[in-house]
Amino acid sequence: HWLAYGSSVDSHAGLSHLVGYPDQVPWKGGVAWPDPIAGLHAASGLLIALWDREASPRRIGQTVEVPQFESIVAAIGDQLLAAQLGEGSPPPPAEVGPGNRDPTLAPQGVYRCQGDDQWVAVSVVSDDGWRALCHLAGFPAVWTTWLLDDRQHHHDMIDDALSSWTRDRRATDVAELLQREGTAAGAVHDAAGLMADPHLDQRALFTTFDQPEFGPFTTANLPLHLTTTPARIRRRAPLLGEH
């Protein structure tokens, strides 16, 4: 009989305990994840119920119930398994959360670039990718011999060196440079960066309308692409009381 919202359910279900940085207490995610995750489960349950109705001679309906709490617990099943194997005992608050890192990759993180609040995400998934990064960033030659265990052990030092290399470069330039060498990287876009993204421009994601109260404005088109009945925004939103 509790009153529940996604922003409180994710803590109750243990998700918040997995989010944060090693030297801080757990963080609340920016998104109320129980809302969309339960929504995805609900959409799946609805489709299953419809297919079941079509296959049933009696064509009877059924109730679909999808609790947010249970959806989040199911979504972090790997953590429950790790705890049962003795690998996921709750750490003290000072050690909570991997931040931007991944326990199976190194280096991985989000690194400051040229400009105000500009960042690039980098994830080295192979030894070849690591050697390519060392060459591009001018890291010491001995670093190229480091395997994953070595890189994890020196992750802080690598982060400092990588940050020094990215700091005076544009995020998109760093990302494209690393991508050409086979290293996973992407600029962390703000709104202006998204609207200037060449891929989204090619996809014609954005459309512009003239709004009488403040002039032209640009917004995203519908992300649904249907071959027979294309979805599109036909007109601007009405003014207050206009219709």
Side-chain angles (χ1 to χ4, degrees):
H1 301 292
W2 292 356
L3 179 65
Y5 296 95
S7 53
S8 56
V9 170
D10 70 351
S11 298
H12 189 51
L15 182 61
S16 299
H17 192 71
L18 306 175
V19 181
Y21 290 85
D23 59 344
Q24 300 177 12
V25 298
W27 279 30
K28 163 70 184 71
V31 174
W33 287 112
D35 291 336
I37 291 177
L40 289 170
H41 282 88
S44 300
L46 181 61
L47 291 172
I48 292 168
L50 290 171
W51 287 324
D52 182 70
R53 187 187 65 178
E54 291 296 314
S56 172
R58 298 169 56 196
R59 292 183 59 79
I60 58 175
Q62 59 182 304
T63 299
V64 178
E65 181 188 14
V66 184
Q68 291 187 346
F69 186 21
E70 295 173 23
S71 297
I72 289 296
V73 172
I76 60 171
D78 61 314
Q79 297 295 321
L80 304 180
L81 177 60
Q84 293 174 70
L85 295 174
E87 301 171 2
S89 56
E95 299 176 10
V96 162
N100 294 315
R101 293 182 178 178
D102 184 290
T104 62
L105 302 173
Q108 173 169 293
V110 180
Y111 304 89
R112 184 178 291 279
C113 294
Q114 185 183 78
D116 181 30
D117 200 25
Q118 299 297 303
W119 305 79
V120 65
V122 178
S123 186
V124 175
V125 300
S126 68
D127 293 335
D128 288 341
W130 166 243
R131 286 188 285 270
L133 175 60
C134 287
H135 173 72
L136 290 171
F139 292 163
V142 68
W143 288 19
T144 62
T145 64
W146 288 351
L147 301 179
L148 178 60
D149 287 346
D150 302 311
R151 301 197 298 270
Q152 289 174 326
H153 180 70
H154 297 290
H155 209 157
D156 289 339
M157 183 169 64
I158 293 172
D159 276 355
D160 289 341
L162 188 51
S163 295
S164 296
W165 180 67
T166 61
R167 188 173 293 116
D168 296 325
R169 291 171 169 81
R170 294 174 63 243
T172 51
D173 292 342
V174 173
E176 291 173 4
L177 188 62
L178 292 175
Q179 289 168 13
R180 284 199 295 269
E181 297 297 326
T183 296
V188 181
H189 280 320
D190 53 16
L194 274 177
M195 297 184 75
D197 185 274
H199 174 74
L200 296 181
D201 180 59
Q202 288 286 324
R203 297 285 293 175
L205 176 65
F206 299 106
T207 187
T208 300
F209 291 97
D210 185 45
Q211 188 74 2
E213 291 188 340
F214 55 86
F217 77 100
T218 300
T219 187
N221 276 313
L222 296 172
L224 306 173
H225 302 280
L226 307 175
T227 57
T228 305
T229 55
R232 63 187 180 89
I233 301 176
R234 294 178 173 85
R235 62 181 67 88
R236 61 169 175 80
L239 303 177
L240 181 62
E242 179 179 353
H243 293 171

